[in-house]
Amino acid sequence: MGLLIRGGEVVTGAGRCRADVWCEGGKIAKVEKGIAPPPGVEVVEAAGKLVLPGFIDPHVHAYLPLTTVTAKSNFANCTRAALLGGTTCIMDFAGAGREKDFDEAWAAWEAQAAGQASCDYGFHLMVRRYDAGLQKQLERLVAKGLKSLKIYLAYKPALAIGDEDLFRVLEFAAANGLVVMAHCENAELIPALQKKLLAAGKTGPEWHEPSRPPMVEAEGVCKFLTFAAAAGAKAYVVHLSCAEALSMADRFRGKLEHLYIETMIQYLTLDKSYAERGNFEGAKWILSPPLREKSDQEALWAGLADGRIDTLGTDHCPFDFKGQKELGRGDFTKIPNGIAGVEERMALAYTAGVAGGRIPLERLVAVAAENPAKIFGLWGRKGTIAEGFDADVVVWDPAARRTISARTQSLDTDYNPYEGFEVAGAPEVVTVRGEVMVRNGKFVGTPGCGRLLL
Ligand code: MN
Ligand code: MN
């Protein structure tokens, strides 16, 4: 058993070199020039190709049962789509607001993923309230290896956390070295603005963005980082969407020892004109925070390039248009929030970012593999190509060209938010712990072989 990836250009967050990658026992055993394959082992010829670490998506909803609707996703189809796109590790969020406590949430997500996920996966824990009993459960989960918590400032009453509990969670996190991730939008302003718009007869999807404009997100960033700085916690702003929120985060640099910012591929490649399409079609692009202006895209690319933005994820959370997005006909506040992206992220980022001259490939590898691994405690196993790391490898063909379409996507949703986008570059071979999972755009691995990372 073993796998030799021969003759490619190995690219990590730190640099690049021409080298062979020898994988054995699920790990990368050697990275050097001219490795002779022992007889009988599989050789992947990678001449002319890029050899990249398996990508990590730090923010995915493979399973998300919300109060009114459940995302059209499960661990089987989500991880398969991830692998087809070059992502070998996803991080989901245990808890969706309906579970009675952390143990129940954790057990539910473990049960959903076990034997279903085809790539490795981790969980952040969703926290919406805090008391002595819950703290005991948290302590046990931390002892098991939990590294990160997720809180929502928005979505009252289902998900949002109150100020008092927020501070206690941040103090617990600070004392235990956990990262606290936050959805940053003001909880009170959104319903107030929604009400005002609906009362004025503004009911279509194009009014979603005006109901949660950049200042509402910037205020959320300010509040979260103020609390995190006061508690001394590691803070991670999820899915930052716009220049205004990024400038707000910049004001906190130096006030927090650990401040991480995540953006999403949709904020880099789509803008709010999609959500303004007529005949309710705009509902296909409703997510929160909303899609913004084109000028925000450039601000986010600049933040990725200069290091102010640390990670690139998807917030993958697909819905059908028919029967799901349609729940919000006549009332944009009832449109389920979320879009797919786990399959498209790396091709879109490679096309717009690397081929488009906005960020070097090494930087893309850093924000989509190395940094998520370092922030969430996976470094040493995931995030780069080096001896001793898991053999999660993507052989990337920079010359591949294709057009994204719902007709060819792996998910069974009835539309693709990137329909018609022409992308450059594609994963040709994808491995997880040395097993070939994708070859020439086809899933060829053992379904359900993914492992929970703790
Ligand atoms: Mn969110
Ligand atoms: Mn999310």
Side-chain angles (χ1 to χ4, degrees):
M1 283 289 279
L3 180 75
L4 182 67
I5 300 169
R6 185 159 67 183
E9 183 168 23
V10 176
V11 182
T12 68
R16 55 175 79 201
C17 65
R18 202 159 296 283
D20 300 342
V21 180
W22 169 242
C23 310
E24 200 175 16
K27 301 276 185 193
I28 295 168
K30 235 192 269 180
V31 184
E32 58 187 46
K33 279 200 181 88
I35 301 173
V41 308
E42 182 178 354
V43 178
V44 172
E45 296 295 351
K49 309 284 157 62
L50 300 163
V51 179
L52 312 175
F55 290 105
I56 300 172
D57 192 332
H59 189 148
V60 169
H61 301 281
Y63 169 60
L64 189 61
L66 296 169
T67 32
T68 52
V69 61
T70 294
K72 199 179 179 194
S73 179
N74 56 50
F75 274 90
N77 69 21
C78 176
T79 55
R80 184 187 166 96
L83 286 162
L84 286 163
T87 293
T88 57
C89 176
I90 62 163
M91 306 205 68
D92 199 336
F93 299 82
R98 289 194 294 187
E99 307 75 20
K100 75 173 189 309
D101 57 22
F102 299 147
D103 286 345
E104 184 180 318
W106 192 270
W109 261 255
E110 266 193 323
Q112 284 290 324
Q116 298 296 313
S118 297
C119 70
D120 290 349
Y121 55 95
F123 301 137
H124 315 293
L125 181 73
M126 213 280 270
V127 178
R128 55 189 278 262
R129 57 191 181 84
Y130 195 79
D131 59 35
L134 289 171
Q135 183 177 319
K136 284 265 167 317
Q137 295 186 358
L138 262 186
E139 282 163 358
R140 282 199 300 272
L141 287 167
V142 171
K144 260 169 82 170
L146 174 70
K147 305 283 192 310
S148 44
L149 308 176
K150 163 80 179 293
I151 62 99
Y152 288 85
L153 296 181
Y155 301 121
K156 252 183 175 176
L159 304 173
I161 190 167
D163 287 5
E164 204 175 310
D165 284 358
L166 171 60
F167 193 71
R168 296 173 72 190
V169 169
L170 286 162
E171 284 202 297
F172 178 88
N176 290 276
L178 306 179
V179 180
V180 179
M181 312 166 74
H183 175 124
C184 296
E185 288 184 301
N186 185 285
E188 308 295 341
L189 276 173
I190 296 163
L193 293 175
Q194 286 176 336
K195 235 167 114 182
K196 212 164 125 176
L197 289 162
L198 290 175
K202 296 170 172 173
T203 60
E206 70 274 25
W207 299 105
H208 173 74
E209 200 277 342
S211 77
R212 41 216 315 158
M215 64 181 176
V216 167
E217 185 181 351
E219 193 278 344
V221 169
C222 178
K223 176 176 171 175
F224 172 58
L225 296 182
T226 301
F227 274 62
K234 296 181 184 175
Y236 182 106
V237 174
V238 302
H239 54 42
L240 187 118
S241 75
C242 59
E244 194 169 333
L246 182 57
S247 324
M248 181 59 82
D250 287 340
R251 289 168 50 177
F252 286 84
R253 294 186 197 279
K255 292 184 186 165
L256 291 103
E257 205 179 323
H258 301 278
L259 166 57
Y260 307 111
I261 309 288
E262 170 193 85
T263 192
M264 299 309 191
I265 190 62
Q266 56 269 34
Y267 301 125
L268 296 162
T269 53
L270 301 169
D271 64 77
K272 70 178 190 180
S273 67
Y274 287 88
E276 291 166 349
R277 290 194 182 176
N279 289 327
F280 194 69
E281 205 204 344
K284 292 177 180 173
W285 292 275
I286 294 306
L287 62 148
S288 293
L291 298 176
R292 306 294 193 188
E293 306 283 352
K294 274 207 177 306
S295 58
D296 288 301
Q297 298 176 0
E298 294 310 322
L300 296 175
W301 281 116
L304 279 171
D306 68 22
R308 285 177 300 146
I309 298 179
D310 301 277
T311 59
L312 170 65
T314 60
D315 206 2
H316 179 82
C317 183
F319 293 98
D320 272 338
F321 179 73
K322 281 201 173 27
Q324 294 199 301
K325 291 287 187 181
E326 279 184 334
L327 294 169
R329 266 192 204 279
D331 181 349
F332 70 87
T333 68
K334 297 195 168 66
I335 301 170
N337 279 214
I339 60 172
V342 82
E343 183 171 0
E344 294 80 15
R345 174 181 65 145
M346 296 317 302
L348 288 164
Y350 185 85
T351 304
V354 178
R358 293 181 174 98
I359 56 171
L361 179 56
E362 290 85 342
R363 183 65 192 153
L364 180 59
V365 171
V367 299
E370 184 174 320
N371 291 351
K374 286 179 173 168
I375 294 167
F376 297 114
L378 302 174
W379 191 248
R381 283 187 283 174
K382 307 286 188 193
T384 195
I385 294 182
E387 207 180 303
F389 278 65
D390 287 354
D392 299 353
V393 180
V394 176
V395 177
W396 187 268
D397 178 5
R401 296 283 181 279
R402 69 190 180 91
T403 303
I404 294 173
S405 172
R407 289 189 307 280
T408 49
Q409 71 186 6
S410 79
L411 291 188
D412 58 354
T413 40
D414 63 4
Y415 79 101
N416 187 300
Y418 303 99
E419 184 75 34
F421 273 58
E422 287 174 18
V423 287
E428 190 172 277
V429 172
V430 179
T431 71
V432 172
R433 285 178 274 101
E435 180 181 344
V436 175
M437 302 301 290
V438 170
R439 202 190 298 274
N440 301 320
K442 300 262 182 315
F443 183 86
V444 296
T446 311
C449 70
R451 291 185 194 157
L452 173 62
L453 299 164
L454 275 170

